[in-house]
Amino acid sequence: MTPMITSKLPTVGTTIFTVMSQLATEQGAVNLGQGFPDFPMSEALTSLVDAAMKNGWNQYTHMNGLPLLRQRLAEKAGELYGAAVDPETQITVTPGGTYAIYTALTTVLRPGDEVIVFEPAYDSYIPNIEINGGVPVLISLQYPDYSIPWAEVRARITPRTRMIMINTPHNPTGSVLSEADIAELRSIVQDTGILILSDEVYEHLIFDGIAHQSMLRYPDLLERSFVCYSFGKTYHCTGWKLGYCISSPTLMKEFRKVHQFNCFSCDTPKQVAIAEYISNKEAYLGLPAFLQQKRDFFRELMKATPFRCIPSHGSYFECYSYGHFSDEADKDLAIRLTKEYGIATIPMSAFYKHGEDNKVLRFCFAKKEETLKKAVEKLSGL
Ligand code: PMP
Ligand code: GLN
């Protein structure tokens, strides 16, 4: 007989991304649910991985990440955000952004520590806090522009507040933080021991000429931040599961204590390849225009449907509301659209701990134009 255990995450089921992707596969539906591109990544980059493997880069690399890659990432942080980042003490390469977030939370949280989380939230955040004994303090972003209610943030700070989690550009809403938001954040945390977890995996997927408000721009904020990135998003290879975290030397020292006994070191040939490919600046500087064009293409197509656009300014998602023509629960509608219409999306309530349903679906537009056309055609007749 299998011995019983008491679940550490009793209210958690299977992530919505797996649920909807599996349903999409079963139903042969066009998948605009889970976020991943359906167009190919750079062949130059895959060739560099191939070459690295053939050249013998097949053993463990440094536990903090390939030194050359960290050096190049520090240079990039300097060029893009004016940050003085020491690759020796402030950058750690991780197996993806999700792992970097989990590791940061594990590094700092003690039972009862409070973490301010804005909802809708990327679905790993709250379980990651809870499994580390933390208490998520949930604050709803203000519908429909999904801005942060700073007065409420101030009101919810307590002596137990350990961290504030931010995500810009934001998944699932596509909202982005402004300089005014940064000023609010700064005034709240200064002279406190509050840390920041800044999820910036979509740093290069930002539209409408808006500048990304990275914590790396602000030395006083970086000092108290874990800033998390994902190569999967930047180089169209979500399946590589490779990312990195930047922090202050003091915080990073502790982060590495956790990392070294969980992962130790990440995929070597891919780090070798990226360390070289990173000199191709167009590969990331061209992303805003490349994805904005897809967003606009998709938005235009969606005008033929009864859905109402909630404009996205970043990430590869755009949300659409439907409460004006149906009161069906968003999860039911997402399942029905997959089964009856052949298009998979993500119901927004999945990003709320208590399943708040504003009648909104999230669509991933990081797809070939033909995929987007095919998907929206499926909605005709709705
Ligand atoms: N944060 C957000 C907001 C994301 O959308 C993703 C993408 N899954 C991640 C973190 C994690 O990225 P990775 O696949 O590198 O773990
Ligand atoms: N970040 C992607 C999304 O939000 C998928 C991540 C995942 O499947 N875990 O859809």
Side-chain angles (χ1 to χ4, degrees):
M1 202 181 71
T2 309
M4 294 304 290
I5 58 167
T6 304
S7 175
K8 292 178 104 175
L9 295 171
T11 61
V12 168
T14 302
T15 166
I16 190 71
F17 305 124
T18 298
V19 171
M20 292 310 297
S21 279
Q22 198 168 312
L23 189 64
T25 306
E26 280 163 21
Q27 300 289 325
V30 183
N31 191 355
L32 301 193
Q34 190 178 24
F36 60 87
D38 74 340
F39 42 84
M41 66 175 296
S42 152
E43 268 181 41
L45 182 48
T46 52
S47 300
L48 286 168
V49 179
D50 190 45
M53 290 170 98
K54 288 186 177 133
N55 290 332
W57 290 95
N58 297 306
Q59 308 309 329
Y60 296 129
T61 184
H62 196 284
M63 68 170 229
N64 298 335
L66 184 83
L68 182 63
L69 177 58
R70 281 185 283 130
Q71 187 189 317
R72 298 268 157 87
L73 289 170
E75 286 161 14
K76 183 180 169 190
E79 280 171 32
L80 289 183
Y81 305 119
V85 172
D86 174 10
E88 281 304 307
T89 58
Q90 291 186 260
I91 304 181
T92 300
V93 177
T94 62
T98 311
Y99 171 103
I101 294 164
Y102 186 91
T103 304
L105 291 165
T106 303
T107 301
V108 304
L109 291 185
R110 290 173 186 278
D113 281 352
E114 292 179 357
V115 181
I116 291 186
V117 186
F118 300 106
E119 288 192 304
Y122 182 56
D123 77 339
S124 73
Y125 293 174
I126 293 170
N128 280 359
I129 294 165
E130 290 177 338
I131 204 159
N132 282 298
V135 179
V137 174
L138 307 175
I139 297 182
S140 286
L141 294 174
Q142 303 173 107
Y143 183 80
D145 67 348
Y146 296 108
S147 55
I148 294 180
W150 288 108
E152 186 179 352
V153 178
R154 281 176 204 281
R156 304 283 296 277
I157 300 281
T158 78
R160 290 177 304 283
T161 309
R162 186 80 275 241
M163 187 181 255
I164 299 177
M165 290 181 85
I166 54 173
N167 172 212
T168 185
H170 186 257
N171 178 7
T173 69
S175 63
V176 294
L177 294 190
S178 65
E179 269 186 83
D181 290 310
I182 301 296
E184 293 276 9
L185 178 64
R186 171 178 284 128
S187 83
I188 288 173
V189 298
Q190 72 186 1
D191 305 322
T192 74
I194 299 173
L195 304 172
I196 297 167
L197 191 141
S198 185
D199 180 345
E200 302 185 10
V201 301
Y202 298 106
E203 68 176 321
H204 298 303
L205 311 186
I206 184 159
F207 318 130
D208 308 315
I210 300 169
H212 170 55
Q213 288 298 327
S214 175
M215 290 306 105
L216 302 185
R217 289 182 191 274
Y218 307 100
D220 60 319
L221 294 178
L222 175 56
E223 195 176 48
R224 58 175 76 234
S225 296
F226 293 94
V227 194
C228 302
Y229 295 98
S230 170
F231 293 116
K233 310 291 169 186
T234 302
Y235 295 122
H236 310 312
C237 51
T238 60
W240 280 22
K241 293 301 297 188
L242 204 58
Y244 58 103
C245 181
I246 301 185
S247 190
S248 62
T250 314
L251 295 177
M252 187 49 80
K253 189 170 165 214
E254 295 303 312
F255 179 102
R256 288 172 174 175
K257 288 184 189 173
V258 179
H259 165 73
Q260 69 184 342
F261 295 132
N262 194 11
C263 166
F264 181 65
S265 71
C266 301
D267 190 306
T268 304
K270 286 174 188 150
Q271 293 189 61
V272 173
I274 295 172
E276 184 165 343
Y277 190 69
I278 207 169
S279 62
N280 175 0
K281 294 184 186 170
E282 186 48 30
Y284 54 84
L285 296 180
L287 282 177
F290 175 67
L291 271 135
Q292 179 169 333
Q293 201 246 326
K294 291 196 178 293
R295 180 203 64 178
D296 293 347
F297 182 79
F298 179 66
R299 196 182 273 178
E300 201 51 41
L301 291 175
M302 285 294 281
K303 285 184 181 160
T305 75
F307 284 98
R308 255 183 218 154
C309 176
I310 303 173
S312 163
H313 302 290
S315 80
Y316 39 46
F317 307 110
E318 189 149 73
C319 293
Y320 285 80
S321 66
Y322 63 87
H324 51 285
F325 68 86
S326 165
D327 60 7
E328 189 169 357
D330 66 350
K331 282 193 171 150
D332 294 343
L333 180 61
I335 291 170
R336 202 162 64 78
L337 288 180
T338 315
K339 290 186 173 167
E340 293 177 17
Y341 289 78
I343 165 172
T345 57
I346 302 289
M348 193 72 136
S349 62
F351 301 102
Y352 289 87
K353 184 171 167 70
H354 302 298
E356 196 170 319
D357 181 2
N358 287 310
K359 313 290 175 208
V360 175
L361 297 177
R362 187 196 81 173
F363 295 75
C364 173
F365 56 76
K367 306 288 174 189
K368 294 181 216 152
E369 289 195 349
E370 67 203 65
T371 310
L372 296 174
K373 262 197 209 149
K374 204 166 135 196
V376 179
E377 271 163 21
K378 304 239 175 220
L379 290 174
S380 68
L382 187 70

